Amino acid sequence: MANPLRRPTTREVAALAGVSVATVSYVLNGKVERVGEQTRRRVLAAAEELGYVRSSSARSLRLRRTERVCLVVGSIGVPAYDQLARDLSDAADAAGHGVLTMVVDSPARADKAVDLLRQHVADGAIIAPSVPYLSPAQLRALADLPLVVMSNAADPDGFDVVRTTEDAACAEALDHLVATGRRRIAFLGHRHELTGELPTERHAAYLAALDRHGLDRRPELVVDGADDRVAAYRSVTALLAGPVRPDAVFAASDRAAISAILALRDAGVAIPDEVAVVGVGNLDEGRITRPPLTTVGPPAMDFHDAARLLFERVLATGERPAGRVITTEWTFIRRGSA
Amino acid sequence: MANPLRRPTTREVAALAGVSVATVSYVLNGKVERVGEQTRRRVLAAAEELGYVRSSSARSLRLRRTERVCLVVGSIGVPAYDQLARDLSDAADAAGHGVLTMVVDSPARADKAVDLLRQHVADGAIIAPSVPYLSPAQLRALADLPLVVMSNAADPDGFDVVRTTEDAACAEALDHLVATGRRRIAFLGHRHELTGELPTERHAAYLAALDRHGLDRRPELVVDGADDRVAAYRSVTALLAGPVRPDAVFAASDRAAISAILALRDAGVAIPDEVAVVGVGNLDEGRITRPPLTTVGPPAMDFHDAARLLFERVLATGERPAGRVITTEWTFIRRGSA
DNA sequence: CTGTTAGCGCTTTCAA
DNA sequence: TTGAAAGCGCTAACAG
């Protein structure tokens, strides 16, 4: 159980260089004005010789700050998170901070993540969009920590919120489907949307649209697959063979929508003539499908705002900024599939 | 710059409960035999009341151990990493450890990751397959830390190595292409494979196969796209319009191979009759393409071995195990596309 | 310019 | 069963 890697400490570096630990600390932290060039060189040489690496725990304990931020995502393998990670890393680099990512793919992992965050494993965190399993209560428990929550379900409460207008954009997409004569619209959802344990906007938008237009809710048209390309393909294929043949598919993710297009093509179904397809997310990939994917999303994948908000909080000295809200405009992007 | 979240400490909990900090520590660490039931309850109540959360830095400093492990990946958005993260998390849960993920997508980020790891941000790490930009020297610099490196290029040197037989499997796939009459085989590579800065097996296997069979190396058939579905699609489309029309595509990733299939279909090219396609990775997704994707990979995505190796090291008391090598069997998996 | 020293918050001997 | 105290490795007053 014990694994005490014995690494050299500042004390040993100091001894070798013939100076005090304070001097070592000054040199290592670039406080140039505090130490002479000769001494500086001796310390650096000693550190090098011993292979000195500072202990992050000791430093963080003393500083009361880790100089790291955390990105909390729902799964690896979601294309948009890739860009989010990149944008956050860019901001972190600029601030001299590290980035750690945590994957929350179950309620148990959500607890673990909240624990780690509360134990101050990082100075702040971004909760990525669509991380289910993280309850409002858990978010509140984290509010001591600089936090940016990307969610339409959260209200700023000690943390910042980045929202999208996906609600309205989804409604517009669904209205469009109905306006073009679709009456049997299938919904291809995320697992957590369908179990009912965790409500989501996309599913809600779907149900609301049906109601708004006086269409029946048909449970057999609501299927799983938005998390997984293969599941989506199979769900759509099964739908085609099912009791109610859909004339449109509204997929809660572009990945699933793309699978839907493939499944429909493979089944010889004309898109959009026989079945229309709409996705959510505006992935680049939607531009290379045949027909190109009609979707709902931001004009471009860009998460600099969220990253900026986080670092404003993390680096803030004195009073914390009040909870802010930034809204990213999402629109209905009509291409060929609907 | 300062953000000293003032959180309650064991001292405050102790004061409120009317006991010493030692007792608080005993209670919080479940040393039931060391403290009476009455006291235990009082301490727990006090901690609850104050909203006490222990400081991970202070604890790690004292323990000389973080009870966290790190997963180092090359990018988010690679499907296989998803399973790897899951398998590692399962093992970590069992050991009561947390999992942090670091994304290394440039040489600068590699440096940063190595720094963090050396500063002991975690008790051990798995370096995922195909994380470019991490040099052998950097790996060696990390050898103090329990480490599992998933790479065929690394030799165990204070750390464990998980290898695959992808070399042989790729060779077999390429031999198959040649045996079935392919003479103009295109290579769809990762960016870092093509710049030449970082050699990889898949590209090497490709070149070796050409040489082995006396085929010309044609630079115009070596294109980029294995990192990115859209780029892959465009590369293949461009290839079709280029000076040398390929009769096979060997893609360094299944994602790219799938894009290749789509591009070929959209161009009205018959697969495999006119152009054969082979991928690498054996993603499930290869089963739903038309035709199903011929590929090279493991029989199933399973990274429990790597996780087990890591925790054997992390939890090892006393002598470190010597560097071990585990080899995962990869095979040529012939489906319809070649 | 450099050193002495007091903690950061926690765990764990050792003594009572 | 509980407490006093040492110290993990580091930084930053403060003193010289």
Side-chain angles (χ1 to χ4, degrees):
Chain A
M1 212 61 169
N3 212 325
L5 310 175
R6 187 126 201 81
R7 317 171 108 316
T9 69
T10 41
R11 202 205 306 297
E12 294 164 52
V13 174
L16 182 58
V19 299
S20 75
V21 292
T23 302
V24 172
S25 177
Y26 296 144
V27 171
L28 264 25
N29 292 296
K31 304 228 189 308
V32 194
E33 72 287 2
R34 307 247 4 190
V35 44
E37 183 54 19
Q38 297 304 315
T39 321
R40 207 180 76 88
R41 264 202 256 282
R42 278 217 313 289
V43 170
L44 257 18
E48 169 74 12
E49 181 175 338
L50 292 169
Y52 171 81
V53 183
R54 75 187 178 201
S55 150
S56 93
S57 334
R59 184 175 153 89
S60 301
L61 174 59
R62 179 64 235 232
L63 251 29
R64 316 172 65 72
R65 143 170 69 92
T66 61
E67 297 182 341
R68 278 172 250 141
V69 294
C70 191
L71 173 61
V72 180
V73 300
S75 116
I76 293 187
V78 176
Y81 290 164
D82 205 24
Q83 187 62 43
L84 175 53
R86 240 186 322 261
D87 289 348
L88 179 59
S89 295
D90 287 344
D93 287 348
H97 283 231
V99 177
L100 302 175
T101 301
M102 294 180 33
V103 180
V104 169
D105 56 7
S106 74
R109 301 258 155 80
D111 286 340
K112 185 75 186 175
V114 169
D115 272 3
L116 286 171
L117 254 12
R118 284 174 41 106
Q119 287 166 28
H120 205 142
V121 67
D123 295 337
I126 290 189
I127 313 293
S130 341
V131 176
Y133 310 122
L134 221 38
S135 70
Q138 288 178 310
L139 252 28
R140 228 170 299 118
L142 288 179
D144 271 351
L145 198 73
L147 205 65
V148 173
V149 178
M150 305 184 74
S151 160
N152 287 1
D155 289 310
D157 177 16
F159 50 79
D160 297 322
V161 171
V162 175
R163 294 203 178 132
T164 66
T165 59
E166 70 176 88
D167 231 352
C170 286
E172 191 182 341
L174 286 153
D175 286 349
H176 168 80
L177 288 177
V178 176
T180 51
R182 314 298 171 170
R183 290 297 173 268
R184 298 178 308 281
I185 305 172
F187 180 72
L188 201 48
H190 292 96
R191 248 178 309 279
H192 66 266
E193 289 178 306
L194 303 180
T195 56
E197 30 168 359
L198 297 161
T200 74
E201 281 175 285
R202 294 168 199 184
H203 188 216
Y206 167 76
L207 294 176
L210 293 186
D211 294 351
R212 187 163 64 242
H213 294 286
L215 299 178
D216 285 348
R217 294 185 178 193
R218 310 200 196 220
E220 58 285 30
L221 287 181
V222 173
V223 296
D224 167 76
D227 307 284
D228 176 340
R229 290 174 191 260
V230 174
Y233 184 95
R234 298 208 168 120
S235 288
V236 172
T237 303
L239 231 30
L240 256 19
V244 184
R245 190 186 168 93
D247 54 14
V249 174
F250 180 63
S253 76
D254 272 4
R255 285 183 298 163
I258 289 163
S259 280
I261 288 180
L262 297 180
L264 292 168
R265 280 179 60 181
D266 289 346
V269 175
I271 309 167
D273 295 350
E274 294 177 72
V275 177
V277 177
V278 174
V280 176
N282 193 21
L283 287 196
D284 265 357
E285 209 185 324
R287 298 167 187 277
I288 60 166
T289 54
R290 293 278 176 102
L293 180 63
T294 291
T295 188
V296 147
M301 286 290 173
D302 177 351
F303 301 97
H304 287 107
D305 275 349
R308 183 176 49 73
L309 247 32
L310 179 65
F311 278 96
E312 282 175 13
R313 253 173 205 287
V314 166
L315 302 178
T317 160
E319 269 323 283
R320 302 304 240 344
R324 294 165 293 180
V325 177
I326 284 193
T327 301
T328 304
E329 217 53 50
W330 278 31
T331 57
F332 174 49
I333 299 165
R334 192 165 176 208
R335 292 202 276 252
S337 70
Chain B
M1 211 63 170
N3 213 324
L5 309 175
R6 187 123 203 85
R7 317 171 108 318
T9 70
T10 42
R11 202 206 308 297
E12 294 165 52
V13 175
L16 182 57
V19 298
S20 75
V21 292
T23 302
V24 173
S25 177
Y26 297 144
V27 171
L28 264 24
N29 290 295
K31 303 230 188 308
V32 194
E33 72 288 0
R34 305 247 6 190
V35 42
E37 183 55 19
Q38 296 306 315
T39 321
R40 207 181 75 86
R41 264 201 255 283
R42 277 217 314 289
V43 170
L44 257 17
E48 170 73 12
E49 181 176 338
L50 260 34
Y52 171 81
V53 182
R54 76 186 176 200
S55 150
S56 94
S57 334
R59 184 176 153 91
S60 302
L61 174 60
R62 179 63 234 232
L63 252 30
R64 314 172 67 70
R65 149 170 63 90
T66 60
E67 298 181 341
R68 277 171 251 143
V69 294
C70 190
L71 172 61
V72 180
V73 300
S75 115
I76 293 187
V78 176
Y81 290 163
D82 206 22
Q83 187 61 44
L84 175 52
R86 240 184 324 258
D87 290 348
L88 179 59
S89 295
D90 287 344
D93 287 349
H97 282 230
V99 178
L100 302 174
T101 300
M102 293 179 33
V103 181
V104 169
D105 57 5
S106 73
R109 302 257 155 80
D111 287 340
K112 186 74 183 173
V114 169
D115 272 3
L116 286 170
L117 254 13
R118 287 179 34 111
Q119 288 166 27
H120 205 141
V121 67
D123 294 338
I126 290 189
I127 313 294
S130 341
V131 176
Y133 309 123
L134 262 186
S135 70
Q138 288 177 312
L139 253 28
R140 227 170 300 119
L142 288 178
D144 271 351
L145 198 73
L147 205 64
V148 173
V149 178
M150 305 185 74
S151 160
N152 288 1
D155 291 308
D157 177 16
F159 51 79
D160 297 321
V161 171
V162 176
R163 294 204 178 130
T164 67
T165 59
E166 69 177 90
D167 232 351
C170 285
E172 191 181 341
L174 288 153
D175 285 349
H176 167 81
L177 288 177
V178 176
T180 51
R182 313 298 171 170
R183 290 297 173 269
R184 297 179 309 281
I185 306 172
F187 180 73
L188 202 46
H190 293 96
R191 250 178 306 281
H192 65 267
E193 291 178 303
L194 303 180
T195 56
E197 28 169 359
L198 297 162
T200 74
E201 281 173 286
R202 295 168 199 183
H203 189 218
Y206 167 75
L207 295 176
L210 294 186
D211 294 350
R212 187 163 63 243
H213 294 285
L215 300 177
D216 286 348
R217 295 185 177 193
R218 311 198 195 221
E220 59 280 33
L221 288 182
V222 174
V223 296
D224 168 75
D227 308 284
D228 176 340
R229 291 174 191 259
V230 175
Y233 184 95
R234 298 208 168 121
S235 288
V236 172
T237 302
L239 231 30
L240 256 20
V244 184
R245 192 186 167 94
D247 54 15
V249 174
F250 180 63
S253 77
D254 271 4
R255 284 182 298 162
I258 289 162
S259 279
I261 288 180
L262 297 180
L264 291 169
R265 280 179 61 180
D266 289 345
V269 174
I271 308 169
D273 295 350
E274 294 177 72
V275 177
V277 176
V278 174
V280 176
N282 192 21
L283 288 196
D284 264 356
E285 210 186 323
R287 298 167 187 277
I288 59 166
T289 55
R290 293 276 176 102
L293 181 63
T294 292
T295 188
V296 147
M301 286 291 173
D302 176 351
F303 301 96
H304 287 106
D305 276 349
R308 183 175 49 74
L309 246 34
L310 179 65
F311 277 97
E312 282 175 13
R313 254 173 203 286
V314 166
L315 302 177
T317 161
E319 269 322 284
R320 302 303 235 353
R324 294 164 294 180
V325 177
I326 285 193
T327 301
T328 304
E329 216 56 45
W330 277 31
T331 56
F332 175 49
I333 299 166
R334 190 164 177 207
R335 294 201 275 251
S337 70

